[in-house]
Amino acid sequence: MPCTVVVGGFWGDEGKGKIISYLALKEPVDLCIRTGSVNAAHTIWYNNKRYALHMVPGGFVQEKCRLLIGPGANVHVAQFFREVEETGVKNRIGVDNLASIIEEKHSVQDKSSAHLKGLGTTGWGVGPAIEERVRRTAKGAKDIPELKPYLADVSEEANRAIQDGKNVLLEGTQGIMLSLFYGTYPYVTGRDTSASAVCSEAGVGPTKVDDVLIVFKAFVTRVGTGPLPGEISKEEAQKRGWFEIAAGTGRDRRSAPFNFEVARKAATINGATQAAITKLDCVYPDCKGINEFDQLPKEAKHFIDEVEKQTGVPVKFIGTGQDALNIIDRRK
Ligand code: IMP
Ligand code: MG
């Protein structure tokens, strides 16, 4: 803080939602800006309720936080309204005038394209919606009457808040290995997912950012097709307690052990200044619910040290359970 970008260090689903919700509760965050689109589901457990948010920023758990969707984002109008209702944030959420709209036809195009299907897309239509924006025929948020009361100038608001020394969180989606530029092309999403791209989509210049917080999970997962180094079988994943089902699409997630080489590269490309590691308790069950680093078992501490050594980035947050507050916060 004051301006922190949160990004994923693997193939998405690292637990960005959990880390963002923790930060929003603790800091407290004044402004949280979501980028990307509806393909990403950020899971947040708060007050024993689970939220899988595709549009509303994860900072919603902080009741004073202003929530914004950036100009570079693609807004799914129906999903936006569903989530605004579910989270009760009607009076404090805004959508940038310049954000693009993702429509049902884009989803139909996504699902009926053999090529996109072969890449294992989520089927929400994000690729086709971005294509249409690039062709300059896409609808914008300002063309949708129901969005009128929500329209905002996000870059103005963000930069004013930063200028005033407020806490601003820029919420990235997916992970670096799904980036159109840096990922396992062509098995990637339709946009860059790096910290620089998140800033660009929110309208915040690189000199205004104080921290880039990269989120890793203690093991790696990926949904859809494409390479996953060190992949283990579903049976093995179940045995280890790593097996997950995608929050957004309900598909099985593939899994592999923590990948130090990918983590190093991810930290470099994102210019990460801090790291978070989630789900440490899935790899080292004795860690469950622990809030103090000193109380971690020796192997778990060793793993964290190794991540710091190999990425060159201090691990400031460690997830030890599903609730937003099951975290070891090493900034203290
Ligand atoms: P698309 O973004 O729907 O075009 O899908 C392209 C690739 O990115 C597929 O492998 C998807 O499974 C993956 N992907 C897209 N969004 C997410 C996400 O939020 N988490 C994990 N994988 C994702
Ligand atoms: Mg997800």
Side-chain angles (χ1 to χ4, degrees), residues 11-13 39-41 110 119-127 174 178 187-190 222-225 251:
W11 278 267
D13 306 313
N39 48 354
D110 198 347
L119 301 182
T121 67
T122 62
W124 278 96
V126 173
Q174 289 101 18
L178 287 173
Y187 301 99
V188 293
T189 192
R222 148 162 229 175
V223 277
T225 37
R251 294 183 291 180

Coordinates of all heavy atoms in Angstrom, one line a residue, residues 11-13 39-41 110 119-127 174 178 187-190 222-225 251, ligand 1:
W11 N -1.0 -20.3 -13.2 CA -2.0 -20.4 -14.3 C -3.4 -19.9 -13.7 O -4.4 -20.4 -14.2 CB -2.1 -21.8 -14.8 CG -1.1 -22.2 -15.8 CD1 -1.2 -22.1 -17.2 CD2 0.2 -22.7 -15.5 NE1 -0.1 -22.5 -17.8 CE2 0.8 -22.9 -16.8 CE3 0.9 -23.1 -14.4 CZ2 2.1 -23.5 -16.9 CZ3 2.2 -23.6 -14.5 CH2 2.8 -23.8 -15.8
G12 N -3.4 -19.0 -12.9 CA -4.7 -18.5 -12.3 C -5.1 -19.4 -11.1 O -4.4 -20.4 -10.8
D13 N -6.1 -19.0 -10.4 CA -6.6 -19.8 -9.2 C -5.5 -20.0 -8.1 O -5.5 -21.0 -7.4 CB -7.1 -21.1 -9.7 CG -8.2 -21.0 -10.8 OD1 -9.0 -20.1 -10.6 OD2 -8.1 -21.6 -11.8
N39 N -14.5 -14.2 -17.2 CA -13.9 -15.6 -17.2 C -13.3 -16.0 -15.9 O -13.2 -17.2 -15.5 CB -12.9 -15.8 -18.3 CG -11.9 -14.7 -18.4 OD1 -12.0 -13.7 -17.7 ND2 -11.0 -14.9 -19.3
A40 N -12.8 -15.0 -15.1 CA -12.1 -15.3 -13.9 C -13.1 -15.3 -12.7 O -13.8 -14.3 -12.5 CB -11.0 -14.3 -13.6
A41 N -13.0 -16.3 -11.9 CA -13.8 -16.3 -10.6 C -12.9 -16.1 -9.4 O -11.9 -16.9 -9.3 CB -14.6 -17.6 -10.5
D110 N -17.5 -18.3 -28.8 CA -16.4 -19.0 -28.1 C -16.7 -20.5 -28.1 O -15.8 -21.3 -28.4 CB -16.4 -18.4 -26.6 CG -15.1 -18.7 -25.9 OD1 -14.3 -19.5 -26.3 OD2 -14.9 -18.1 -24.8
L119 N -8.6 -25.0 -27.2 CA -7.7 -24.4 -26.2 C -8.2 -24.5 -24.8 O -7.6 -24.1 -23.8 CB -7.5 -22.9 -26.5 CG -7.0 -22.5 -27.9 CD1 -6.9 -21.0 -28.0 CD2 -5.6 -23.1 -28.1
G120 N -9.5 -25.0 -24.7 CA -10.1 -25.2 -23.4 C -10.5 -23.9 -22.7 O -10.3 -23.7 -21.5
T121 N -11.1 -23.0 -23.5 CA -11.5 -21.7 -22.9 C -12.6 -21.9 -21.9 O -13.2 -23.0 -21.9 CB -12.0 -20.7 -24.0 OG1 -13.2 -21.3 -24.5 CG2 -11.0 -20.5 -25.1
T122 N -12.9 -20.9 -21.1 CA -14.0 -21.0 -20.2 C -15.4 -21.0 -20.8 O -16.4 -21.3 -20.2 CB -13.9 -19.9 -19.1 OG1 -14.1 -18.6 -19.9 CG2 -12.6 -19.9 -18.4
G123 N -15.4 -20.5 -22.1 CA -16.7 -20.4 -22.8 C -17.5 -19.1 -22.5 O -18.6 -18.9 -23.1
W124 N -17.0 -18.2 -21.8 CA -17.7 -17.0 -21.5 C -17.6 -16.0 -22.6 O -18.4 -15.0 -22.7 CB -17.0 -16.3 -20.3 CG -17.5 -16.8 -18.9 CD1 -16.8 -17.7 -18.2 CD2 -18.7 -16.4 -18.2 NE1 -17.5 -17.9 -17.0 CE2 -18.7 -17.1 -17.0 CE3 -19.7 -15.5 -18.4 CZ2 -19.7 -17.0 -16.0 CZ3 -20.7 -15.4 -17.5 CH2 -20.7 -16.1 -16.3
G125 N -16.7 -16.2 -23.6 CA -16.7 -15.4 -24.8 C -15.7 -14.2 -24.7 O -15.8 -13.2 -25.4
V126 N -14.7 -14.3 -23.8 CA -13.8 -13.2 -23.6 C -12.9 -13.0 -24.8 O -12.7 -11.8 -25.2 CB -13.0 -13.4 -22.3 CG1 -11.9 -12.4 -22.2 CG2 -13.9 -13.4 -21.1
G127 N -12.4 -14.1 -25.4 CA -11.6 -13.9 -26.6 C -12.4 -13.2 -27.7 O -11.9 -12.1 -28.2
Q174 N -6.5 -14.1 -13.5 CA -5.6 -15.2 -14.0 C -4.2 -15.1 -13.5 O -4.0 -14.5 -12.4 CB -5.7 -15.2 -15.5 CG -7.0 -15.7 -16.1 CD -7.9 -14.5 -16.6 OE1 -7.4 -13.4 -16.8 NE2 -9.2 -14.8 -16.7
L178 N -1.0 -17.6 -18.1 CA -2.1 -17.5 -19.0 C -2.1 -16.2 -19.8 O -3.0 -15.9 -20.5 CB -3.4 -17.6 -18.3 CG -3.8 -19.0 -17.7 CD1 -5.1 -19.0 -16.9 CD2 -4.0 -20.0 -18.9
Y187 N -2.1 -21.6 -25.6 CA -3.0 -22.1 -24.5 C -3.0 -21.0 -23.4 O -2.5 -21.2 -22.3 CB -2.6 -23.4 -24.0 CG -2.6 -24.5 -25.0 CD1 -1.4 -24.9 -25.7 CD2 -3.8 -25.1 -25.4 CE1 -1.4 -25.8 -26.7 CE2 -3.8 -26.0 -26.4 CZ -2.6 -26.4 -27.0 OH -2.6 -27.3 -28.1
V188 N -3.6 -19.8 -23.8 CA -3.6 -18.7 -22.9 C -4.9 -18.0 -23.0 O -5.7 -18.3 -23.9 CB -2.4 -17.7 -23.3 CG1 -1.1 -18.3 -23.0 CG2 -2.6 -17.3 -24.8
T189 N -5.1 -17.0 -22.2 CA -6.3 -16.2 -22.3 C -6.1 -15.0 -23.3 O -5.0 -15.0 -23.9 CB -6.8 -15.6 -20.9 OG1 -8.1 -15.1 -21.0 CG2 -5.8 -14.6 -20.4
G190 N -7.1 -14.2 -23.6 CA -7.0 -13.2 -24.7 C -6.3 -11.9 -24.4 O -6.5 -11.0 -25.1
R222 N -4.1 -25.9 -13.0 CA -4.4 -25.3 -14.3 C -5.7 -25.9 -14.8 O -5.9 -27.1 -14.6 CB -3.2 -25.6 -15.3 CG -3.6 -25.7 -16.7 CD -2.4 -25.5 -17.7 NE -2.9 -24.6 -18.7 CZ -2.1 -24.1 -19.7 NH1 -0.9 -24.5 -19.8 NH2 -2.6 -23.3 -20.5
V223 N -6.6 -25.1 -15.4 CA -7.8 -25.7 -16.0 C -7.7 -25.5 -17.5 O -7.0 -24.6 -18.0 CB -9.1 -25.1 -15.5 CG1 -9.6 -25.7 -14.3 CG2 -9.0 -23.6 -15.3
G224 N -8.3 -26.4 -18.3 CA -8.2 -26.2 -19.7 C -7.0 -27.0 -20.2 O -6.3 -27.6 -19.4
T225 N -6.7 -26.9 -21.5 CA -5.6 -27.6 -22.1 C -4.3 -26.8 -22.1 O -4.3 -25.7 -21.6 CB -6.0 -28.0 -23.6 OG1 -6.7 -26.9 -24.2 CG2 -6.8 -29.2 -23.6
R251 N -15.1 -27.3 -13.8 CA -14.2 -28.3 -14.4 C -13.2 -28.7 -13.4 O -12.8 -28.0 -12.5 CB -13.4 -27.7 -15.6 CG -14.3 -27.3 -16.8 CD -13.5 -26.8 -18.0 NE -12.9 -25.5 -17.7 CZ -12.2 -24.9 -18.6 NH1 -11.9 -25.4 -19.8 NH2 -11.7 -23.7 -18.4
Ligands
IMP1 P1 -10.5 -17.9 -21.9 O1 -9.9 -16.9 -21.0 O2 -11.9 -18.2 -21.4 O3 -10.4 -17.6 -23.3 O4 -9.7 -19.3 -21.7 C1 -8.4 -19.4 -22.1 C2 -7.6 -20.2 -21.1 O5 -7.5 -19.5 -19.9 C3 -8.2 -21.6 -20.7 O6 -7.2 -22.5 -20.4 C4 -9.0 -21.3 -19.4 O7 -9.1 -22.4 -18.6 C5 -8.0 -20.3 -18.8 N1 -8.6 -19.4 -17.8 C6 -9.3 -18.2 -18.1 N2 -9.7 -17.6 -17.0 C7 -9.3 -18.4 -16.0 C8 -9.3 -18.2 -14.5 O8 -9.8 -17.3 -14.0 N3 -8.7 -19.2 -13.8 C9 -8.0 -20.2 -14.4 N4 -7.9 -20.4 -15.7 C10 -8.6 -19.5 -16.5

